[in-house]
Amino acid sequence: MLEKKGNFNMERVIQEFDEVTRNASRVQRETLKKILEENGDTEYLQGLGLRGRTDIDSFRACVPLVTHHDLEPYIQRIADGDTAPILTRKPVTSISLSSGTTQGKPKYIVFNEELVHNTMQIYRISYAFRNREFPTEKGKALQFIYGSKQFETKGGLTATTATTNVYRSHQFKSTMRDIQSQCTSPDEVIFGSDFLQSLYCHLLCGLLYADQVQFVSATFAHSIVVAFQSFEKDWEELCRDIKTGVLSSRITNPNIRNAVSAILRPDPELADSIYRKCEGLSNWYGVIPELWTNAKYVYGIMTGSMEHYTRKLRHYAGRLPLVCAEYGSSEGWIGANVDPLTPPDSATFVVLPDIGFFEFIPLRGMDGCEHAEPIGLTEVQVGEEYEIIITTFAGLYRYRLGDVVRVEGFYNSTPRLKFICRRNLILSINIDKNTEKDLQLAVDEATKLLLAEKKLDLLDFTSYADMVSDPGHYVIFWELNADAKDEVLQSCCDCMDRTFVDPGYVGSRRIGTIGPLELKVVERGTFRKVLYHFLSRGTSVGQFKTPRCVGPANRAVLEILNEHVIKRFFSMTYY
Ligand code: AMP
């Protein structure tokens, strides 16, 4: 019998997905044709001489690979009010701001109805696969999601984050209802202007509807960790609110107050039961299943730069599985996680062949093949690494997304990708090259030494290539949950220096053209300040990713970090 709940038919969604992934090569050709038929007469494509051709060879011959920088003038004209079909025939409904944590400032990206449609498509697919493993009942989700600030561009378009554009769309609510993922909080909480007030109320509403909660989620794992770190501090106040039925005076935003007060009733029994459960926990281990007894899993993006938070998340999740969410970006979606049982460190994403046209630049060790020609979706090889190029229904043609992925296998005839890192080299002083992944490996190695000490953990980290000192050197900032002995930190610092094994780095360290790696330990709460800094500039909490390297454009972040340094260590590895 087909599994059908409301407007959602799990088996049909899986069948359709199987069908397109089986015929990935044909579907890719047809998808490109459709994109070009729809948008061939836009100014951008007209200027490239395609003259109505929609086949892959002509497309590759005429259309150059581009980065966001190349498209900026076109997008700026759209933002300034030019309504001619510049990049897409369908009207641009708003501008999305990418999180901007890599570049230091948000990028403008065009947003239209196609992106909403694609988002609902991928939500349904990944829910279908999740639901097959972890069937949910009729219910809701405790979702730590936040709309972000918005403003009007010169041409009158709303500019906000892509996730906010999605949350505000008509289709979002109905899809969430269909897939039992309706947020436990009212819209006023999701779109509240004060992050801390919204967070408090998400927790409160989640507790009020605890029986109905089927899973706990956020776009990025970081938001769930931030939420439960706040819960550790605020749980007694939350219990008081539930006991008395009166919302804490900390909620001053009238819209949030009214909306949450409307659902809050005195419930001493619930309050006491939460209180007792919290008191019985050891260091908050397993708080999620303890309080949300019907939750089946914890869900969100846990790969890439989010991997660091999975240890903490596992602690809060206790016996509940961590399920990785989709792979995509403000620019467009890429793949769904169809193996929800796979743990975050080995999660892969199956590319959706009808969501866009995909090409891959072979990287082979990230050097050497700089000028290799991109290949098609079904031509990629298992075990190889590639940079992804996307062509979308939303005005991006052969766009270098800047992500590196590895092909781990195939699902039918479409590849399963593992996210590796952002392509940009992040740490480099001279001939050395280290990526986000290399940094993660070094930090992971050193963290093992930290974890060997009781109750010590690394809460967050970032890095910086200090070119001002002579010779230049790598600086790694760490925020810890508790004080650590100097000997331990010194050995962590030495360990990180040793773990960067790139020959350019090792050689330069040996001859002294790169100085000893520096570990700077910052005060507790410093990375919260970095988060607030990004929020003040329009980034939404939901899309926030701690920048793993602070580039020169991020001077303000560097200042925040340096102002809160409490200890410094220099590596003694190469003496
Ligand atoms: P944004 O600019 O905020 O739209 O962020 C998009 C970027 O986040 C992508 O290009 C990736 O680098 C990263 N990202 C998105 N989804 C995932 C995922 N599932 N795993 C790892 N990284 C991801």
Side-chain angles (χ1 to χ4, degrees):
M1 209 182 78
L2 291 186
E3 159 86 2
K4 187 168 186 310
K5 284 190 187 131
N7 290 321
F8 182 76
N9 184 326
M10 179 183 90
E11 285 178 17
R12 181 164 328 133
V13 172
I14 293 178
Q15 267 165 19
E16 284 170 4
F17 183 74
D18 278 348
E19 177 79 19
V20 288
T21 51
R22 248 195 307 274
N23 300 298
S25 176
R26 175 175 56 76
V27 173
Q28 276 285 275
R29 271 197 312 280
E30 288 168 2
T31 304
L32 179 65
K33 185 163 177 277
K34 217 163 136 201
I35 293 174
L36 296 179
E37 277 170 0
E38 258 180 37
N39 299 296
D41 58 355
T42 55
E43 179 187 316
Y44 182 76
L45 288 177
Q46 283 272 312
L48 297 172
L50 264 174
R51 294 193 307 276
R53 286 170 295 171
T54 58
D55 62 286
I56 295 177
D57 289 344
S58 308
F59 178 65
R60 285 193 178 143
C62 297
V63 179
L65 297 179
V66 291
T67 62
H68 186 267
H69 180 73
D70 301 308
L71 297 183
E72 252 172 346
Y74 297 92
I75 301 177
Q76 194 61 52
R77 275 173 51 208
I78 297 170
D80 289 346
D82 192 334
T83 52
I86 296 175
L87 289 170
T88 54
R89 171 132 288 286
K90 286 210 175 119
V92 172
T93 52
S94 52
I95 294 289
S96 285
L97 304 168
S98 81
S99 53
T101 37
T102 329
Q103 310 294 329
K105 66 175 177 27
K107 290 182 286 193
Y108 278 23
I109 294 156
V110 296
F111 188 89
N112 67 11
E113 280 307 310
E114 293 287 352
L115 287 173
V116 178
H117 174 77
N118 291 165
T119 308
M120 301 311 129
Q121 180 186 352
I122 200 160
Y123 280 0
R124 282 172 179 273
I125 292 169
S126 50
Y127 177 73
F129 283 93
R130 245 157 52 224
N131 202 48
R132 192 163 69 173
E133 302 298 342
F134 309 107
T136 47
E137 289 131 36
K138 211 167 158 351
K140 296 183 183 230
L142 167 53
Q143 296 203 53
F144 296 99
I145 56 175
Y146 307 87
S148 59
K149 287 193 187 124
Q150 57 184 56
F151 62 89
E152 253 190 27
T153 66
K154 195 168 137 203
L157 285 174
T158 303
T160 185
T161 51
T163 41
T164 310
N165 277 323
V166 168
Y167 302 153
R168 287 199 185 281
S169 68
H170 298 304
Q171 293 172 44
F172 180 67
K173 275 234 152 62
S174 58
T175 304
M176 288 296 112
R177 254 194 312 273
D178 290 347
I179 62 173
Q180 313 304 325
S181 308
Q182 238 184 315
C183 184
T184 42
S185 304
D187 278 359
E188 288 80 355
V189 173
I190 299 173
F191 296 110
S193 54
D194 181 303
F195 157 63
L196 288 176
Q197 294 189 31
S198 291
L199 167 51
Y200 184 89
C201 291
H202 272 320
L203 289 165
L204 184 61
C205 297
L207 291 168
L208 294 175
Y209 291 111
D211 287 350
Q212 295 182 46
V213 169
Q214 299 296 306
F215 63 96
V216 173
S217 79
T219 310
F220 286 105
H222 174 253
S223 303
I224 310 179
V225 170
V226 166
F228 283 96
Q229 282 168 339
S230 295
F231 184 78
E232 287 187 28
K233 292 202 204 81
D234 299 335
W235 66 283
E236 287 174 295
E237 196 170 339
L238 287 159
C239 286
R240 226 173 7 253
D241 289 5
I242 297 172
K243 190 167 209 149
T244 57
V246 180
L247 187 58
S248 157
S249 59
R250 67 160 76 197
I251 308 302
T252 53
N253 177 306
N255 291 337
I256 302 187
R257 253 203 106 73
N258 290 339
V260 177
S261 297
I263 51 176
L264 184 63
R265 299 271 171 278
D267 191 341
E269 207 177 309
L270 177 63
D272 289 346
S273 121
I274 297 170
Y275 200 97
R276 271 196 311 276
K277 287 178 174 180
C278 289
E279 270 192 327
L281 289 169
S282 161
N283 195 23
W284 299 100
Y285 177 81
V287 56
I288 299 179
E290 186 66 17
L291 297 181
W292 288 275
T293 47
N294 292 321
K296 320 277 183 298
Y297 52 87
V298 175
Y299 182 63
I301 294 177
M302 298 172 191
T303 35
S305 62
M306 292 297 131
E307 245 178 84
H308 173 70
Y309 306 103
T310 51
R311 196 173 45 246
K312 193 77 192 162
L313 204 54
R314 238 178 228 123
H315 181 82
Y316 291 132
R319 63 179 164 77
L320 288 185
L322 301 185
V323 180
C324 292
E326 308 77 10
Y327 171 30
S329 69
S330 307
E331 286 92 336
W333 288 103
I334 296 164
N337 173 13
V338 302
D339 299 302
L341 297 174
T342 309
D345 55 355
S346 40
T348 58
F349 305 95
V350 175
V351 180
L352 271 57
D354 58 345
I355 217 161
F357 179 71
F358 298 93
E359 293 169 272
F360 296 82
I361 303 182
L363 293 177
R364 269 199 194 281
M366 310 271 291
D367 300 321
C369 286
E370 271 298 311
H371 304 293
E373 279 300 308
I375 55 174
L377 179 71
T378 52
E379 293 160 336
V380 293
Q381 306 278 322
V382 175
E384 293 296 323
E385 291 190 358
Y386 301 91
E387 179 187 341
I388 290 206
I389 313 291
I390 58 172
T391 294
T392 68
F393 284 95
L396 299 176
Y397 308 98
R398 308 197 84 201
Y399 177 92
R400 298 176 75 151
L401 192 59
D403 285 349
V404 175
V405 294
R406 186 168 58 232
V407 177
E408 296 288 341
F410 281 83
Y411 178 92
N412 293 325
S413 62
T414 183
R416 290 171 183 276
L417 306 179
K418 180 167 171 57
F419 178 89
I420 301 297
C421 60
R422 300 283 306 167
R423 168 117 204 229
N424 294 348
L425 289 175
I426 59 165
L427 281 170
S428 181
I429 302 281
N430 47 50
I431 54 162
D432 53 311
K433 293 188 180 92
N434 279 302
T435 63
E436 190 178 319
K437 192 75 193 168
D438 301 316
L439 171 66
Q440 180 77 51
L441 288 173
V443 170
D444 285 350
E445 269 313 294
T447 311
K448 286 182 194 156
L449 303 175
L450 201 64
L451 294 176
E453 300 290 306
K454 267 219 178 88
K455 302 223 162 137
L456 265 186
D457 200 358
L458 176 63
L459 295 181
D460 223 331
F461 69 94
T462 188
S463 68
Y464 166 64
D466 181 350
M467 316 282 258
V468 176
S469 57
D470 188 21
H473 68 289
Y474 292 2
V475 180
I476 317 268
F477 293 92
W478 273 18
E479 181 176 325
L480 304 172
N481 64 331
D483 295 339
K485 289 195 217 107
D486 285 0
E487 311 89 84
V488 175
L489 291 168
Q490 181 64 53
S491 56
C492 291
C493 178
D494 298 348
C495 171
M496 284 193 283
D497 205 9
R498 236 184 358 258
T499 313
F500 285 111
V501 289
D502 155 58
Y505 183 76
V506 175
S508 302
R509 283 286 291 117
R510 286 213 172 107
I511 59 170
T513 50
I514 295 181
L517 180 143
E518 184 179 2
L519 168 62
K520 288 186 174 176
V521 179
V522 294
E523 250 166 48
R524 243 158 287 153
T526 304
F527 278 83
R528 272 282 173 119
K529 292 195 171 80
V530 172
L531 166 67
Y532 296 153
H533 164 77
F534 280 102
L535 298 189
S536 71
R537 300 171 36 142
T539 300
S540 88
V541 197
Q543 251 174 290
F544 177 75
K545 301 171 216 66
T546 299
R548 291 301 179 214
C549 181
V550 186
N554 269 352
R555 187 170 297 156
V557 173
L558 206 55
E559 276 170 17
I560 298 172
L561 293 163
N562 276 320
E563 273 167 18
H564 295 89
V565 172
I566 45 174
K567 280 184 179 174
R568 297 170 69 186
F569 300 87
F570 285 94
S571 157
M572 304 208 280
T573 293
Y574 288 90
Y575 285 110

